[in-house]
Amino acid sequence: GAGVSQSPRYKVAKRGQDVALRCDPISGHVSLFWYQQALGQGPEFLTYFQNEAQLDKSGLPSDRFFAERPEGSVSTLKIQRTQQEDSAVYLCASSPPAGGYNEQFFGPGTRLTVL
Amino acid sequence: GDSVTQMEGPVTLSEEAFLTINCTYTATGYPSLFWYVQYPGEGLQLLLKATKADDKGSNKGFEATYRKETTSFHLEKGSVQVSDSAVYFCALSKQGAQKLVFGQGTRLTINP
């Protein structure tokens, strides 16, 4: 079956531009996560959805970052007025419904370069 | 806050060598612990996990034991192969918190 997909795979933006990154989770997965991975570092948590509800956005670095998942499936991470420090790989992960911890399945990521 | 520290890389070994990648964590309560692997050109994949103290996770010849007394979860493999070349990430998750907290990653290269 299809895994988590993300688009675009690569995005180059000029400083100050707005960008939108898309994540298609595995069908039926309730939970969806966004992470930011700087070069040579581990992924860092940005935000978490359960269905359409954004339950944790504590990792969003500034109010320029906004995420949504309006129908509980596809999610979009939007970054307004991009800055050079936003350059990173943005990872999306999804996990199925159940109690306790569930394995997170990661997409290939979107590499964002801000010039 | 919660954190994970991994041994610094890169690590280069010859095929059939013994591998250890150290991982220690700082967290309140009783986190679950994980090793994720990222092969070249691919996304992160769960390699193994352990959810309570003294549990041993294992997969593909890799093992790691949850040691609460030393707050460690070291990754080991008895005989590495060239195909094990990848970046390895140690991570933790707290009950109910869902999100993963990752270490900085260790790049492993196995030479034939």
Side-chain angles (χ1 to χ4, degrees), chain B residues 68-83:
Chain B
K68 186 162 178 63
E69 64 276 13
T70 54
T71 62
S72 65
F73 193 55
H74 305 321
L75 182 68
E76 297 182 336
K77 186 174 185 181
S79 177
V80 292
Q81 306 300 314
V82 172
S83 57

Side-chain angles (χ1 to χ4, degrees), chain B residues 38-66:
Chain B
Q38 189 168 37
Y39 297 106
E42 299 185 18
L44 278 166
Q45 303 173 26
L46 179 65
L47 179 60
L48 54 85
K49 70 178 182 183
T51 58
K52 62 182 187 296
D54 300 324
D55 268 2
K56 178 185 285 187
S58 61
N59 186 25
K60 299 183 180 180
F62 291 89
E63 293 183 340
T65 301
Y66 189 145

Side-chain angles (χ1 to χ4, degrees), chain A residues 31-52:
Chain A
S31 298
L32 185 145
F33 304 81
W34 284 98
Y35 295 86
Q36 180 189 59
Q37 186 176 17
L39 187 64
Q41 300 298 313
E44 292 194 358
F45 171 79
L46 293 176
T47 187
Y48 157 58
F49 290 85
Q50 186 168 316
N51 295 306
E52 69 278 6

Side-chain angles (χ1 to χ4, degrees), chain B residues 4-74:
Chain B
V4 175
T5 301
Q6 290 181 234
M7 67 183 288
E8 295 198 9
V11 174
T12 302
L13 296 172
S14 297
E15 205 166 21
E16 299 183 3
F18 184 85
L19 168 71
T20 299
I21 300 178
N22 290 338
C23 171
T24 58
Y25 68 90
T26 300
T28 56
Y30 302 93
S32 296
L33 302 174
F34 310 88
W35 278 99
Y36 276 80
V37 59
Q38 189 168 37
Y39 297 106
E42 299 185 18
L44 278 166
Q45 303 173 26
L46 179 65
L47 179 60
L48 54 85
K49 70 178 182 183
T51 58
K52 62 182 187 296
D54 300 324
D55 268 2
K56 178 185 285 187
S58 61
N59 186 25
K60 299 183 180 180
F62 291 89
E63 293 183 340
T65 301
Y66 189 145
R67 301 287 189 200
K68 186 162 178 63
E69 64 276 13
T70 54
T71 62
S72 65
F73 193 55
H74 305 321

Side-chain angles (χ1 to χ4, degrees), chain A residues 94-110:
Chain A
S94 68
S95 65
Y101 175 82
N102 288 292
E103 178 180 350
Q104 293 185 23
F105 295 82
F106 283 81
T110 295

